[in-house]
Amino acid sequence: MEGLKKDVIRHVVSSLGSDYASKSAYNYYNALALAVRDRLIDNWIKTQRSYYDEKAKRVYYLSLEYLPGKSLMNNLHCLGIYETARKAMSDLGFSLEDLAEQEWDAGLGNGGLGRLASCFLDSMATLGIPGYGYGIRYDYGIFHQVIEDGKQVEQADNWMRVGNPWAYERGQHLFPVRFFGEVKNWTDEYGRLRHTWTAGDTVLAMPCDMLVPGWDNHHVINMRLWSARSDVEFDLDFFNTGNYLGAVEEKIFDEKISKVLYPSDQIEEGRELRLKQQYFFVTATIQDILRRFRKKHQDMTELPQSVAIQLNDTHPAIAIAELMRILLDEDLLDWEVAWDICVSTFAYTNHTILPEALETWPVSLLERMLPRHMQIIYEINARFLREVERVARSEDCGQLCHRDLDHLKQRVSLIQERPIKSVRMAHLAIIGSHSVNGVAALHTELLKARVFDDFQRLYPQKINNKTNGVTPRRWLWSANQPLSRLIASHIGTGFVRNLDELTQLEPLAADPAFREAWRAAKLENKQRLQAYIKRKLMRELHTEHLFDVHIKRIHEYKRQVLNLLHVVTAYNRLRHGQAADFTPRTVFFGGKAAPSYFMAKRIIHAINAVAATVNADSRVNDKLQVVYLPNYCVSQAERVIPATELSEQISTAGMEASGTGNMKFALNGALTIGTWDGATIEMAQAIGPELLFIFGMREDELVSLRQHGYNPMLYYHGDEELREALDMLRSDAFSPGQHGLFAPLVDNLLHGGDRFFVLADYRQYLGAQQDVGRLYLDQEEWTRRSILNAARMGFFSSDRAISQYAREIWDVAPMAGLQNGKGA
Ligand code: CJB
């Protein structure tokens, strides 16, 4: 402890240039972070060296998004020095919790996809998998959300303003990134046509490394994020003629590439800068991968034995064309050889079946920005369509006439003709990869049967499932110390590395003393949340209420509106005196809406409007409260999830690819009210469906309802309570003086087809909520179920998921000496 204290003081003085006596929390947080980073860097260097020494096959995880959140507490726990740090900082006059508040969340992602990437890096580090995360170091991450007059207002997330003590910026290792220009043809000595791309513009990519430690194992992997740097400092001509701003203009323009994360989430944002971001990070990454590979290899055909590249959704899919370009134009390989290398190296994860989220890029844009890549994509497509024809003709399917073949080719082509001629990035990713995986069992089945059914017929082995998981280090151990300590006092700490060990809790569910201790841990977390809400929102929570939580991105398919209709109905019953047996509850909502997503923003407004009315109504507000948590982010989730008793997972069946929040809640002992969707299905199977509150129509039932003509008006006319709730929303009951404010929401349900079947599931949802309320009154039974939920969550560790990727897709083994998680 004395060593750590000395290091912190030294950093306050020599790294931060401050007087250690000034006791600024900001300085002491930074100094502590630097002292912790010092303790990681030796192991990081040793880890990197060991990959070379052992000729390890490396995994590269390419993702345009990461959501690490805050690093301090997690890193202290991984290093096993949390208690030491707590005491050291207390000796220096600080509470560790308060210092940790100084850190800004690294919010380099939108939601589940980015957070999954961060969980996966944590698991690779813990399992000893030689892995790297690659992405972009955005200067501005996901916007900061404030709620003003009930509406979402976006503010810039200037997280870099105060510096980032965790990152190493490596300004000396720059990689060139080229755009635009033209392609020249030439003939090589064997008479083969060759191509050279001469670029128009060049930008530089600078690596920033963030160290990701494993749990208690000395294995520290790298998250390498690229930052754009101009290759011109000043244009001296402008400068000399006195045009100072003109002189820096190009520099500013170039560096714009890594300026800001696109805040869209599963909605189309086909902007030129976004494509630039994708290519910028992809080419820098591929250059870096090949630089490392070429240190030990000359023969490029050995690449797939040394390198596995996982594409996190289609955002990095242009990597396939980029690797082809390098192999063809720089290494001068033949097409077939280059293509085999590519397909064996790449694998692709799909995260959504929402049609509006499947990326396409206009051919005209690609031709201009990446002319050589567009040529390569055309060639990939031509060869692929010939192969489709060959397979289709050779198949014993007599019914396949030419017309069908033409349709098949149109459906699977990399190019879609309408509404504008574009490249389908998912098709490029499928064709250029040896593995395509979905992220939960139902999702993968839907990929096979619906979205990519043609590809499933063409490549029956390619599509496979890897159900998502979450890291127990952050989402149980670090976020929920009261519960973790209780668990550890009964079954030891092995569960942090091997989550299956939680099954040892099962017999304890029958022990009244353990149940009481379990409830005490929950209450402690509820009180912590209460204190936080009081500080941030100046609101007093009732900790004896059932804490019912719906936090995630705001999206119509996630159906926050269904939850809101339940709240309005409960409000009406209470007002009308029809709810004598109502179980008091506080309903929390939280989440960000894409700034360009009108309906999602209006939903936030409606939630806040209902909250204002309900909370101000003294007839009901001792029994029902609604809280909107502004600026939902990773660190907020770490506070809220441990305090949650009811987890809302109510997406339209078939629409949520997996969900990972669902896992975090159950792991922390919340019971789930949910639909038969995503990974909630597998959770119900693992836990026992009777221990969750499952309701609503299943995916196949919805398909059939749609086919037979779904008429939301029937539900409206047939259900008095539903009608009352919708009429109130449409009137100015929640928006005094602003009649019609929420009419778009209601019209969308009643006259817009209710694409997400909110009305169809309303009545069943109400029934399930009633069951919840009843069960909550029986605290012993509720606690028993809560314990069993957590005890049966072992499968949903990201360690299990990463082990499957490593074995079944990457063919990568943990580093020797780390298999059992022991440090070298
Ligand atoms: N997902 O967060 C995103 N962004 C996308 O653009 C597409 C999907 C989410 O990915 C998670 C991780 O796989 C899933 O759990 C979640 O269902 C999905 O919506």
Side-chain angles (χ1 to χ4, degrees):
M1 182 181 85
E2 290 307 317
L4 184 62
K5 264 163 66 180
K6 258 192 6 228
D7 289 348
V8 169
I9 290 173
R10 182 172 53 77
H11 276 301
V12 170
V13 177
S14 60
S15 307
L16 303 169
S18 291
D19 180 353
Y20 70 88
S22 77
K23 297 286 173 188
S24 126
Y26 168 73
N27 279 339
Y28 272 79
Y29 154 70
N30 273 286
L32 176 60
L34 290 170
V36 173
R37 192 179 68 165
D38 291 344
R39 283 156 175 75
L40 295 174
I41 191 64
D42 274 353
N43 284 327
W44 180 83
I45 290 168
K46 281 189 199 136
T47 301
Q48 301 304 313
R49 239 187 241 150
S50 70
Y51 296 169
Y52 285 109
D53 294 345
E54 296 184 29
K55 298 196 176 61
K57 179 170 181 179
R58 294 163 160 94
V59 177
Y60 294 98
Y61 199 79
L62 270 56
S63 181
L64 223 64
E65 300 189 13
Y66 291 92
L67 274 177
K70 300 190 201 292
S71 294
L72 179 64
M73 291 301 204
N74 184 66
N75 291 354
L76 290 174
H77 282 299
C78 284
L79 286 168
I81 58 170
Y82 170 79
E83 274 304 322
T84 311
R86 212 172 53 75
K87 290 200 189 96
M89 299 322 287
S90 148
D91 275 9
L92 293 171
F94 294 98
S95 116
L96 182 59
E97 267 65 30
D98 290 350
L99 284 189
E101 281 289 281
Q102 294 289 320
E103 182 171 357
W104 283 53
D105 272 42
L108 309 179
N110 276 292
L113 173 143
R115 183 53 232 175
L116 184 78
S118 290
C119 282
F120 278 7
L121 295 190
D122 178 281
S123 284
M124 284 193 235
T126 294
L127 293 169
I129 303 280
Y132 299 78
Y134 273 90
I136 294 182
R137 204 281 307 270
Y138 302 104
D139 295 348
Y140 294 86
I142 183 71
F143 62 86
H144 186 91
Q145 179 196 55
V146 291
I147 302 294
E148 281 177 11
D149 298 329
K151 288 186 287 225
Q152 166 174 299
V153 174
E154 300 94 23
Q155 293 176 348
D157 168 54
N158 197 355
W159 75 295
M160 297 293 299
R161 193 185 54 203
V162 288
N164 177 4
W166 300 106
Y168 287 97
E169 289 193 6
R170 308 202 188 269
Q172 72 282 27
H173 293 134
L174 301 170
F175 290 85
V177 176
R178 302 176 296 164
F179 296 104
F180 307 109
E182 55 188 14
V183 180
K184 294 216 169 66
N185 300 337
W186 54 283
T187 311
D188 70 11
E189 66 216 79
Y190 307 104
R192 289 173 304 196
L193 188 61
R194 291 289 179 188
H195 306 272
T196 303
W197 173 33
T198 44
D201 292 357
T202 304
V203 179
L204 300 171
M206 179 181 79
C208 306
D209 292 339
M210 283 180 75
L211 316 186
V212 181
W215 175 261
D216 187 25
N217 68 354
H218 307 300
H219 189 239
V220 181
I221 69 168
N222 199 7
M223 175 165 73
R224 174 158 282 191
L225 304 178
W226 301 103
S227 175
R229 290 286 170 271
S230 178
D231 69 336
V232 287
E233 277 309 317
F234 292 109
D235 187 322
L236 285 178
D237 285 343
F238 280 125
F239 199 63
N240 292 337
T241 54
N243 183 355
Y244 181 78
L245 287 180
V248 293
E249 211 161 54
E250 191 176 343
K251 181 172 164 64
I252 293 168
F253 189 76
D254 287 347
E255 296 182 357
K256 202 168 82 176
I257 294 179
S258 58
K259 215 23 112 201
V260 60
L261 166 80
Y262 271 81
S264 55
D265 176 82
Q266 311 203 43
I267 58 169
E268 191 106 41
E269 276 278 5
R271 304 265 185 83
E272 183 163 327
L273 184 61
R274 168 82 170 175
L275 180 61
K276 268 196 158 177
Q277 289 186 335
Q278 295 184 349
Y279 180 67
F280 163 78
F281 122 81
V282 154
T283 181
T285 303
I286 300 278
Q287 289 179 58
D288 203 22
I289 293 172
L290 295 182
R291 171 190 64 81
R292 228 173 257 131
F293 173 77
R294 289 191 214 266
K295 280 191 189 172
K296 299 276 177 181
H297 302 82
Q298 276 96 49
D299 182 354
M300 292 306 290
T301 62
E302 291 168 3
L303 190 73
Q305 282 90 60
S306 297
V307 167
I309 302 179
Q310 190 70 35
L311 304 173
N312 197 24
D313 218 286
T314 57
H315 318 145
I318 194 71
I320 293 167
E322 172 67 356
L323 183 58
M324 279 302 281
R325 185 191 65 77
I326 294 172
L327 296 176
L328 294 170
D329 298 358
E330 296 179 11
D331 290 273
L332 301 179
L333 297 184
D334 284 342
W335 182 279
E336 291 76 9
V337 177
W339 185 243
D340 275 355
I341 295 173
C342 271
V343 175
S344 311
T345 304
F346 286 109
Y348 153 55
T349 305
N350 173 283
H351 292 269
T352 181
I353 63 166
L354 285 186
E356 59 267 44
L358 294 177
E359 260 190 316
T360 58
W361 286 111
V363 166
S364 57
L365 174 59
L366 274 165
E367 269 170 346
R368 197 160 48 79
M369 190 188 291
L370 299 170
R372 177 63 182 132
H373 298 77
M374 192 59 233
Q375 280 184 349
I376 290 171
I377 289 169
Y378 272 135
E379 181 66 22
I380 294 172
N381 198 34
R383 287 169 184 256
F384 167 64
L385 292 179
R386 282 203 292 276
E387 175 70 6
V388 170
E389 197 159 329
R390 195 189 60 73
V391 173
R393 285 189 197 285
S394 71
E395 246 182 12
D396 183 22
C397 48
Q399 75 275 29
L400 193 74
C401 64
H402 279 279
R403 229 191 70 158
D404 288 334
L405 182 57
D406 283 346
H407 282 149
L408 174 65
K409 282 163 67 177
Q410 277 167 25
R411 289 197 305 270
V412 296
S413 172
L414 293 194
I415 310 293
Q416 91 187 7
E417 298 293 333
R418 270 174 290 276
I420 49 169
K421 197 169 175 182
S422 309
V423 177
R424 296 164 165 151
M425 300 307 275
H427 293 199
L428 175 62
I430 296 172
I431 298 164
S433 300
H434 64 280
S435 161
V436 174
N437 74 281
V439 289
L442 173 67
H443 170 57
T444 303
E445 286 317 306
L446 294 175
L447 289 181
K448 288 184 188 174
R450 307 254 170 81
V451 192
F452 301 141
D453 52 339
D454 292 320
F455 291 98
Q456 171 64 10
R457 277 189 288 276
L458 290 164
Y459 309 109
Q461 308 302 327
K462 223 181 235 197
I463 305 182
N464 63 89
N465 182 52
K466 298 285 170 282
T467 298
N468 284 341
V470 299
T471 169
R473 268 75 63 188
R474 180 174 295 261
W475 294 111
L476 183 53
W477 185 264
S478 172
N480 195 347
Q481 277 279 300
L483 196 67
S484 298
R485 283 209 210 94
L486 173 65
I487 295 172
S489 69
H490 285 78
I491 66 168
T493 57
F495 67 93
V496 183
R497 187 193 302 290
N498 177 9
L499 200 61
D500 287 326
E501 290 187 16
L502 287 182
T503 54
Q504 294 169 35
L505 294 175
E506 287 198 23
L508 291 166
D511 173 354
F514 185 74
R515 288 203 298 265
E516 195 174 333
W518 188 270
R519 273 196 299 278
K522 183 61 81 183
L523 181 61
E524 192 179 333
N525 289 320
K526 288 174 81 172
Q527 286 164 343
R528 267 190 69 209
L529 182 63
Q530 181 187 42
Y532 171 77
I533 298 286
K534 192 166 181 179
R535 212 168 59 236
K536 292 279 177 190
L537 303 180
M538 284 162 319
R539 291 233 353 230
E540 196 69 59
L541 296 182
H542 302 299
T543 52
E544 71 285 3
H545 275 201
L546 162 68
F547 279 15
D548 169 352
V549 178
H550 201 167
I551 44 177
K552 48 183 79 237
R553 284 297 285 234
I554 308 295
H555 207 297
E556 286 162 277
Y557 84 83
K558 295 180 189 275
R559 299 202 296 190
Q560 282 88 0
V561 167
L562 180 58
N563 190 340
L564 193 63
L565 287 174
H566 168 247
V567 170
V568 173
T569 307
Y571 174 57
N572 289 339
R573 286 180 186 174
L574 285 166
R575 285 188 307 134
H576 302 327
Q578 295 163 347
D581 58 348
F582 185 80
T583 303
R585 67 165 87 196
T586 299
V587 185
F588 299 80
F589 290 88
K592 294 177 183 176
S596 58
Y597 188 173
F598 167 81
M599 202 56 86
K601 292 179 99 168
R602 198 49 66 92
I603 291 169
I604 292 179
H605 198 170
I607 295 170
N608 280 294
V610 170
T613 308
V614 171
N615 298 341
D617 191 332
S618 58
R619 292 169 297 176
V620 307
N621 60 12
D622 59 331
K623 289 205 156 178
L624 180 64
Q625 292 261 333
V626 184
V627 178
Y628 199 93
L629 300 161
N631 199 40
Y632 177 57
C633 57
V634 169
S635 59
Q636 194 181 83
E638 287 173 62
R639 282 178 191 282
V640 176
I641 290 171
T644 297
E645 287 160 313
L646 184 68
S647 152
E648 299 273 352
Q649 307 301 331
I650 61 174
S651 50
T652 313
M655 301 268 178
E656 187 69 271
S658 162
T660 45
N662 47 2
M663 302 170 188
K664 294 163 198 164
F665 282 111
L667 186 58
N668 282 278
L671 304 193
T672 301
I673 182 163
T675 44
W676 205 244
D677 196 19
T680 304
I681 299 176
E682 288 153 85
M683 282 170 47
Q685 286 161 344
I687 296 166
E690 70 287 356
L691 300 184
L692 293 79
F693 303 93
I694 300 292
F695 71 95
M697 297 182 81
R698 299 198 179 198
E699 195 272 340
D700 51 350
E701 292 171 330
L702 292 176
V703 170
S704 125
L705 179 59
R706 194 179 292 122
Q707 273 163 2
H708 292 94
Y710 169 51
N711 182 0
M713 284 310 270
L714 288 181
Y715 295 85
Y716 175 79
H717 289 303
D719 192 321
E720 214 174 294
E721 285 190 308
L722 174 62
R723 197 166 58 245
E724 184 183 5
L726 286 169
D727 288 348
M728 280 172 80
L729 267 180
R730 192 208 287 277
S731 73
D732 62 355
F734 301 112
S735 52
Q738 288 178 283
H739 197 88
L741 187 61
F742 304 123
L745 246 71
V746 178
D747 289 343
N748 197 29
L749 299 177
L750 295 180
H751 311 298
D754 185 15
R755 184 179 162 206
F756 300 102
F757 298 98
V758 173
L759 302 199
D761 276 345
Y762 166 83
R763 190 42 59 184
Q764 272 205 42
Y765 179 55
L766 252 57
Q769 286 288 21
Q770 200 131 30
D771 295 344
V772 168
R774 254 196 305 272
L775 188 77
Y776 194 73
L777 299 176
D778 180 354
Q779 279 291 300
E780 292 302 331
E781 177 58 14
W782 182 280
T783 314
R784 192 184 73 84
R785 292 197 194 183
S786 163
I787 297 167
L788 291 178
N789 264 263
R792 295 174 182 171
M793 283 300 289
F795 179 80
F796 301 94
S797 166
S798 47
D799 298 346
R800 185 270 315 150
I802 282 298
S803 301
Q804 284 186 322
Y805 276 85
R807 237 186 0 258
E808 296 164 21
I809 301 180
W810 304 331
D811 193 22
V812 167
M815 296 299 290
L818 288 169
Q819 274 99 335
N820 300 321
K822 284 279 157 274

